[in-house]
């Protein structure tokens, strides 16, 4: 699990949050998206968490240019 938590440029559906989480934890982006959609059936703050991650997770391009 040494990958950084970033939103990738490729493989995005909306903002790339689920794809970034999937890459970070070495799992399928489809599985993460499915789990997120299923979690929407439960009461909670899932959408707010998604929006916060969208804001806090850097783009892969921005991370690549600032890490050198």
């Amino acid at each position: 699990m040494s990958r950084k938590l970033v939103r990738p440029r490729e493989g995005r559906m909306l903002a790339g949050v689920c794809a970034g989480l999937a890459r970070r934890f070495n799992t399928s982006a489809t599985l993460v998206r499915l789990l997120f959609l299923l979690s929407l059936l439960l009461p909670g703050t899932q959408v707010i968490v998604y929006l916060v991650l969208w804001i806090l997770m850097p783009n892969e391009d921005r991370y690549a240019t600032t890490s050198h």
Side-chain angles (χ1 to χ4, degrees):
M1 279 196 302
S2 64
R3 288 182 177 238
K4 298 289 181 185
L5 186 57
V6 294
R7 293 182 294 123
R9 294 302 296 160
E10 296 188 18
R12 288 182 171 189
M13 290 295 251
L14 288 176
V17 173
C18 291
L21 289 171
R23 278 190 184 180
R24 171 66 173 91
F25 295 107
N26 198 24
T27 188
S28 166
T30 304
L31 177 63
V32 175
R33 290 177 185 127
L34 181 63
L35 290 173
F36 175 72
L37 288 174
L38 288 174
S39 76
L40 292 176
L41 298 173
L42 301 171
T45 60
Q46 299 87 331
V47 174
I48 294 172
V49 170
Y50 186 90
L51 293 173
V52 168
L53 287 173
W54 186 353
I55 293 168
L56 294 179
M57 286 173 64
N59 271 332
E60 189 174 45
D61 294 342
R62 181 183 297 169
Y63 181 77
T65 58
T66 60
S67 66
H68 287 93

